[in-house]
Amino acid sequence: MSDADFRATVRDWLATHLTGEFAALAGTGGPGREHENIPLRTAWERELGDAGWIGLGWPQANGGGGASIAQQVIFFEEYARAGGPGRLSHIGEYLLAPTLIAFGTEEQRRRFLPPIAAATEFWCQGYSEPDAGSDLAAVQTRAVRDGDVWRITGQKVWTSLAHIADWCFVLARTDPQAPKHRGLSYLLVPMDQPGVQVRPITQLTGSSEFNEVFFDDAVTAAENIVGQPGDGWRVATGTLAFERGVATLGQQLGFARELDDVIGTARAGGVHDDPVWRDRITDAWIGLQVLRHHALRTLGTPEGDLPGVEASVAKLLWAPWHQQLGELAMAVAGPAATLTGDEFSDIQRLFLFTRADTIYGGSNEIQRNIIADRLLGRVPRG
């Protein structure tokens, strides 16, 4: 199928399916708004799964669509154009699934990929801890092999969507005597068990999409380890590379929608003809094009290769840009932006949520260290 035909297929499907009860989902969900319409968005995920849109870029041998990067970009573009809601299955689809394809066993792929593709199992990411955020190798959650199971004890924090997740991929310390990068393992842990407790974290926006997750002698089967014991750092950094892969295009299309809202606010307020405001809005648009072209350039890595420092460069590009967009939104809205009613407006929510952009997903300081270490060779490895 040509790219043009593929675009028409995606557009037609969205036009005929994002209707009826699903029409109410247009523009909902996503960062800062993950609390919206969870039951209906869950049903929408299964609608996508039934049509084969989940796992579009996975190899066909692994149950995916085998779509080219160009076709994946087209899907994101059309999904954003149609106002598709924020995705609930993205952690499984774009983080865990590529990790299992790259590092997992055939049995793990057969067990976990089909439920991700069908949106019958959702995932969360168990990386950050109170004393191990950007310094991920400092995690203290412990896992001990006990016969045919692993027993996990510890705490994770800032765990997105843990309150709706069925499974969590957990970075845990399995060899406390080894150097910190070498004593880690990557475990797949079921959430619905007595040893797992999820506590939502109320954010500045008043919503709770992040969580604390406590593991108190939680268990998972011995075979639910990706890679070998002690190989968790390699697998976990592989997942982080996938996190900043093709899925970033969907993120950027969300940014474009936010920028459109800012431009609409400027027009409604009559400031869009002011040359100072026009310059600031134009700068924001140019920055968004830089993000897009950087992402497209770095997606051209040969199949099977993991992105390198490009992922860290991308984080340094989009996080400050998004924060500045939130600040621009508030400035364009004027004094009224400082007033709230029963709920925050979209602009207020954008401003508040973007305060965390330069921290989560690896702080900007850590990203600079990664670039210095891997590209410039100026930081000794731990």
Side-chain angles (χ1 to χ4, degrees), residues 301-344:
T301 53
E303 184 176 357
D305 286 358
L306 295 178
V309 297
E310 296 90 348
S312 295
V313 173
K315 180 65 163 54
L316 290 178
L317 289 173
W318 75 255
W321 179 89
H322 200 214
Q323 281 190 345
Q324 292 162 13
L325 180 66
E327 293 164 1
L328 176 62
M330 292 289 284
V332 165
T338 63
L339 304 176
T340 61
D342 293 335
E343 294 185 357
F344 290 116

Side-chain angles (χ1 to χ4, degrees), residues 195-235:
V196 177
Q197 182 183 16
V198 177
R199 296 180 188 171
I201 299 172
T202 301
Q203 300 152 207
L204 277 173
T205 54
S207 58
S208 300
E209 63 200 64
F210 296 119
N211 303 271
E212 294 177 286
V213 181
F214 297 87
F215 299 97
D216 184 8
D217 202 32
V219 298
T220 193
E223 62 267 22
N224 287 341
I225 182 171
V226 182
Q228 297 299 314
D231 200 26
W233 181 252
R234 182 175 70 95
V235 180

Side-chain angles (χ1 to χ4, degrees), residues 6 62 64 86 142 265 275 308 313 329 352 379-380:
F6 181 78
N62 297 119
R142 300 294 180 93
T265 301
V313 173
L352 291 172
V379 176

Side-chain angles (χ1 to χ4, degrees), residues 78-368:
E78 292 301 318
Y79 192 86
R81 186 195 64 81
R87 300 288 306 281
L88 293 175
S89 65
H90 65 283
I91 296 175
E93 180 180 4
Y94 296 114
L95 276 67
L96 181 70
T99 301
L100 292 180
I101 291 168
F103 301 104
T105 65
E106 185 58 36
E107 292 76 13
Q108 288 169 344
R109 290 189 280 270
R110 283 199 301 263
R111 164 60 185 87
F112 292 111
L113 294 184
I116 294 173
T120 55
E121 289 181 350
F122 292 155
W123 285 79
C124 62
Q125 181 182 43
Y127 277 15
S128 294
E129 298 181 6
D131 294 317
S134 295
D135 184 11
L136 186 59
V139 297
Q140 294 301 310
T141 293
R142 300 294 180 93
V144 178
R145 180 71 180 267
D146 182 13
D148 58 358
V149 300
W150 290 95
R151 296 191 176 275
I152 305 105
T153 301
Q155 177 187 357
K156 299 295 180 178
V157 72
W158 311 119
T159 310
S160 299
L161 300 178
H163 56 297
I164 67 167
D166 303 287
W167 288 80
C168 182
F169 48 95
V170 176
L171 189 63
R173 190 161 300 283
T174 51
D175 184 356
Q177 304 305 317
K180 67 178 185 178
H181 289 83
R182 299 176 185 173
L184 302 171
S185 297
Y186 192 107
L187 301 172
L188 311 178
V189 182
M191 295 290 284
D192 186 13
Q193 58 172 302
V196 177
Q197 182 183 16
V198 177
R199 296 180 188 171
I201 299 172
T202 301
Q203 300 152 207
L204 277 173
T205 54
S207 58
S208 300
E209 63 200 64
F210 296 119
N211 303 271
E212 294 177 286
V213 181
F214 297 87
F215 299 97
D216 184 8
D217 202 32
V219 298
T220 193
E223 62 267 22
N224 287 341
I225 182 171
V226 182
Q228 297 299 314
D231 200 26
W233 181 252
R234 182 175 70 95
V235 180
T237 54
T239 301
L240 290 174
F242 291 125
E243 183 177 18
R244 298 169 191 130
V246 70
T248 61
L249 293 169
Q251 177 194 53
Q252 291 165 23
L253 291 166
F255 291 169
R257 190 160 55 195
E258 292 170 343
L259 178 57
D260 287 342
D261 290 343
V262 172
I263 294 171
T265 301
R267 286 175 175 158
V271 301
H272 63 291
D273 288 328
D274 184 301
V276 174
W277 289 113
R278 289 176 71 88
D279 282 351
R280 291 186 65 180
I281 292 171
T282 301
D283 284 344
W285 182 87
I286 291 171
L288 185 59
Q289 305 315 305
V290 171
L291 298 182
R292 173 178 171 78
H293 288 289
H294 176 76
L296 291 173
R297 178 175 64 86
T298 57
L299 286 174
T301 53
E303 184 176 357
D305 286 358
L306 295 178
V309 297
E310 296 90 348
S312 295
V313 173
K315 180 65 163 54
L316 290 178
L317 289 173
W318 75 255
W321 179 89
H322 200 214
Q323 281 190 345
Q324 292 162 13
L325 180 66
E327 293 164 1
L328 176 62
M330 292 289 284
V332 165
T338 63
L339 304 176
T340 61
D342 293 335
E343 294 185 357
F344 290 116
S345 68
D346 289 346
I347 280 177
Q348 291 167 333
R349 189 180 293 111
L350 170 64
F351 172 75
L352 291 172
F353 193 83
T354 56
R355 297 302 88 197
D357 282 346
T358 53
I359 301 173
Y360 72 78
S363 72
N364 281 19
E365 291 79 9
I366 291 295
Q367 302 306 332
R368 291 186 179 94

